[in-house]
DNA sequence: CGGTTGACATACGCGGCGTATGTCCCGAGA
DNA sequence: TCTCGGGACATACGCCGCGTATGTCAACCG
């Protein structure tokens, strides 16, 4: 598969733009981020941007795709570290809360993303986060650990709770202390899905 | 307290602007809503707007304050209709989900609001929604119905779950059917807070 | 009744997005 | 090797929207 030099440079250009965009969007927010400054930061101009991504929203979509994949991977890793499927589910949720402490994820994935692109479930990458959580819950239902419930519904609520918790933690004065409370509350809530209390 | 004619007109002007803003923000979103069109719709100009609200964000703050108060009132009404405190808590959550089905609330309170003004807990009206939920949970803890947990943390997660559920429902093809699933999942999750299962 | 204040309208400048147009270089074919 | 077409990116332009500075007119006050 001879990926000629042209295609190679193209990918490099896209990568540079996405890198600069992640930085700018995270620091200034989507609305306040200037395309001129952003592309200059990447050593390019707006021409490259509109050629590769169509428009400003297209760039945001690309950025979100990338971060979403990273988050899903992080969640998967957390789940794999656990001993039981249920523990894995909990760890996955905790991982989301902790990941969402990073300003970049907060600003881009939780605040600007939904506002600009609408409902996360209909995002380009189909939102890997939601899909993995849904699959996890579905497995737990089939395993008879979790009550028979609509897996997607549960995933939505659990994710929403986790991400909202993260927003709260990050905005607080003492994030570390508040994080503990958030995780505890999350465990309690999640336990409501159990068939019988452990 | 002689509210002179001036003050009276002032209030009327603010009300007209807020009314037009709710409509415009809900239909076009905050970013795409033009101040020129918005104020013209209200029979005024941008002069009135910047005089009364400072800037575009100021107008959004005022709009959010109003809607937040309405939502808190709706939640209170739902809670009061229930027979037990716990049922009241559940009904409050369900009410949030149902209210969030309105496009106006989705767009303004759930999408643009957080993106433009940041964390809801630090909003002007201090977010009546969150405060009422926190108080409700605190009461349930003291009543020994709910496990000893940080009330604010629980309120945050529950609210987050409810509002996220609403986003999901509203974006779905068959909102009515999905709403049922969402409410069921919400009840399960919330039951995780109970000291012992009912 | 003249002066002052405040509510609102009008006028202007700056900046940002998107697009139309231009330029250059790579790669294919004769 | 020379040519030439197309793609990747840069440059130039127009439009729109926000915020502010300035203007105007009506309501209070002495």
């Amino acid at each position: 598969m001879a990926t000629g030099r042209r295609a190679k440079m193209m990918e490099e250009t896209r990568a540079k733009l996405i890198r600069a965009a992640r930085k700018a969007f995270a620091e200034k927010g989507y609305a306040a981020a200037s395309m001129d400054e952003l592309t200059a930061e990447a050593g390019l101009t707006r021409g490259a941007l509109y050629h590769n991504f169509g428009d400003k929203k297209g760039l945001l979509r690309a950025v979100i795709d990338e971060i979403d994949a990273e988050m899903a991977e992080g969640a998967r890793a957390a789940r794999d570290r656990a001993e039981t499927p249920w523990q894995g589910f909990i760890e996955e949720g905790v991982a989301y809360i902790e990941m969402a402490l990073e300003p970049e994820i907060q600003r881009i994935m939780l605040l600007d993303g939904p506002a600009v692109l609408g409902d996360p479930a209909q995002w380009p990458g189909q939102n890997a986060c939601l899909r993995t959580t849904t699959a996890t819950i579905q497995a737990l239902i089939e395993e008879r650990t979790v009550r028979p419930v609509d897996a997607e519904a549960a995933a939505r609520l659990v994710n929403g709770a986790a991400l909202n918790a993260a927003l709260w933690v990050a905005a607080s004065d003492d994030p570390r202390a508040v994080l503990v409370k958030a995780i505890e509350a999350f465990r309690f809530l999640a336990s409501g899905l159990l068939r019988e209390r452990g």
Side-chain angles (χ1 to χ4, degrees), chain A residues 132-172:
Chain A
T132 58
T133 303
T134 303
T136 302
I137 292 178
Q138 187 62 47
L140 287 168
I141 293 173
E142 283 160 14
E143 198 195 63
R144 301 185 64 82
T145 301
V146 157
R147 292 159 135 165
V149 63
D150 188 84
E152 189 181 356
R156 277 288 205 151
L157 301 217
V158 168
N159 248 318
L163 299 180
N164 220 274
L167 276 179
W168 174 49
V169 172
S172 72

Side-chain angles (χ1 to χ4, degrees), chain A residues 46-176:
Chain A
R46 294 215 325 271
L49 207 169
Y50 287 95
H51 186 70
N52 281 285
F53 300 99
D55 61 355
K56 193 178 183 181
K57 287 165 89 169
L59 179 59
L60 178 61
R61 267 186 282 267
V63 166
I64 282 182
D65 264 6
E66 201 178 88
I67 299 180
D68 184 44
E70 292 173 10
M71 289 180 71
E73 170 55 28
R76 201 187 58 75
R79 197 174 60 237
D80 289 351
R81 277 195 295 273
E83 311 222 327
T84 71
W86 173 256
Q87 276 299 322
F89 169 60
I90 295 293
E91 291 308 318
E92 190 178 328
V94 171
Y96 279 131
I97 296 180
E98 289 174 343
M99 284 188 287
L101 291 179
E102 290 172 44
E104 187 187 52
I105 289 179
Q106 282 221 9
R107 182 85 236 190
I108 299 177
M109 300 297 283
L110 308 186
L111 295 178
D112 290 334
V116 176
L117 303 181
D119 183 72
Q122 297 168 359
W123 284 356
Q126 300 285 38
N127 206 329
C129 292
L130 268 176
R131 286 204 313 207
T132 58
T133 303
T134 303
T136 302
I137 292 178
Q138 187 62 47
L140 287 168
I141 293 173
E142 283 160 14
E143 198 195 63
R144 301 185 64 82
T145 301
V146 157
R147 292 159 135 165
V149 63
D150 188 84
E152 189 181 356
R156 277 288 205 151
L157 301 217
V158 168
N159 248 318
L163 299 180
N164 220 274
L167 276 179
W168 174 49
V169 172
S172 72
D173 300 327
D174 185 357
R176 287 300 139 195

Side-chain angles (χ1 to χ4, degrees), chain A residues 22 31 34 110 114 167 171 186:
Chain A
R22 283 179 69 147
S34 160
L110 308 186
L167 276 179
F186 176 77

Side-chain angles (χ1 to χ4, degrees), chain A residues 4-21:
Chain A
R5 284 176 178 75
R6 297 289 284 273
K8 205 91 180 187
M9 294 307 290
M10 188 92 182
E11 273 313 305
E12 178 64 20
T13 297
R14 290 176 60 92
K16 280 195 289 190
L17 287 174
I18 290 178
R19 218 176 309 146

